[in-house]
Amino acid sequence: MQTSKTHGVSVSADGTLDATQQATQQATEQMQRQVRWMTYLMFFVFAMTTDAVGVIIPQAMAQYQLSLFQASAFHYVPMVAIGLAGLFLGRLADKLGRKSLIIVGLSLYAGACYAFTAGDNALFFILLMGICGLAIGIFKTAALALIGDISPDSLSHTRTMNKVEGFFALGAIAGPALVTVMIAASIHWKQLYLVAGLLCTVLVIMAARLPYPPYQAAAEQVSLRQSLALLKDRYALGFSLAIALYVGCEVAIFVWLPTLLADYQGSFAVVATHAITLFFMLRAAGRFVAGLILQHFCWSSVMASCTLAIFACFFFSMLGGKAVALWLMPLSGLFMSMIYPTLNSKGISCFGRQQHGAVAGLILAFTALSAALAPALMALIGDLAADVSAGFYLATVFSALLAAAMLYNYLAQPAKRRLDYRRQS
């Protein structure tokens, strides 16, 4: 059988790859599957702790006699740490490589989780949550850059990102559910971190042993000044601000919805008790079907439609009060499901692979800082009004701004040229 070489690849006369090339291709595909699954599990584990905070806060307020703003530190301290790590350390994923940063971040996270068993003090727990946030910012930035390494194009990148966030959404279901079971069994919620630490230890071993895709750093390394200069890039800044608005809406629900519905006395008390779980379940379901939806519809039209639906959920919840919020706030999780991973993917895909770590770090910084600031401002408004529902009016404003931004994105298509150029290059 005659063979020829096309672009360095041996091809037989009938157009098939030779045995060596097939073996290499199969090995590459297997490596990519393993890396994907490791990334899925990483997002699952840290979501167990970050998204369980809405269930933890009412317990901490009662146990340590905290105000709404003081209790919100359980959320905004780790979020600030994640943001700072993404902003100042994200470029290290491009400089030192993905594997090294993932192992360092996972190890730090596991150690901080184990330390929760050593104390019983609100300030001590908040400090450890800050360390967890720093660790998450380190390994999450590297993981986001790694997704770019195993994605051949922007569409594949977006599909993978939605699956990754789908596993994050599953972790967001498991964490609060586990805390609820612990509380019912009179077990302290801090034991959740022991479970997360054990799972993370397994991930450290996996990360050290798995092969990674070949990565060649840019000839000129991205400096901190160059990373911060991304703030001047309208694509990086535009996607980051859009994500920040989205996150302000999302955290409003998973941080404060349990507190909002805690004193609900209507006929649907069971729904109120499990409203946050329903929100997370709908968000997870939406992320796993996102790939199919995005194959048939333009991503910008999906973003515009979903954000308008989110605004409607917030707006009518504020008009109808808790009796309406009981249903519409969890329902918004279905419409929120595709927003973050899709915008994150498109924002990163606007840049070359050697900048993926820095761009992912910048977007992560906006994500985390919004996740810290929005619920803290809601808590301040709630304390001033002596009613947690007052803070949800601010979240409604965020949802209106996000819907307006996504309508503009759909009508004007400002990033289309950059995304098309990166897809072809």
Side-chain angles (χ1 to χ4, degrees), residues 76-140:
Y76 70 69
V77 168
M79 291 300 108
V80 168
I82 291 174
L84 293 176
L87 186 61
F88 293 104
L89 302 178
R91 65 190 179 88
L92 295 181
D94 299 323
K95 182 178 181 180
L96 303 179
R98 322 315 194 191
K99 183 174 184 175
S100 300
L101 220 58
I102 286 174
I103 293 174
V104 168
L106 288 175
S107 300
L108 181 60
Y109 180 76
C113 285
Y114 289 135
F116 270 82
T117 60
D120 188 11
N121 176 274
L123 186 60
F124 176 70
F125 291 147
I126 291 171
L127 175 62
L128 289 179
M129 286 180 173
I131 297 174
C132 285
L134 179 65
I136 290 170
I138 291 172
F139 73 73
K140 183 178 180 181

Side-chain angles (χ1 to χ4, degrees), residues 207-269:
R209 297 184 64 180
L210 283 181
Y212 282 65
Y215 167 74
Q216 184 174 1
E220 181 180 353
Q221 294 293 343
V222 179
S223 66
L224 177 59
R225 179 179 296 180
Q226 289 172 314
S227 296
L228 294 176
L230 286 171
L231 288 167
K232 298 179 181 178
D233 185 285
R234 67 190 184 103
Y235 299 101
L237 184 60
F239 279 104
S240 296
L241 289 174
I243 286 174
L245 288 172
Y246 162 75
V247 169
C249 301
E250 184 187 59
V251 297
I253 293 179
F254 77 73
V255 174
W256 292 121
L257 184 60
T259 306
L260 175 69
L261 299 177
D263 59 352
Y264 174 79
Q265 301 295 328
S267 303
F268 301 99

Side-chain angles (χ1 to χ4, degrees), residues 1-4 10-18 22:
M1 180 178 63
Q2 292 183 340
T3 61
S4 62
S10 297
V11 182
S12 64
D14 60 359
T16 59
L17 300 177
D18 64 19
Q22 286 180 344

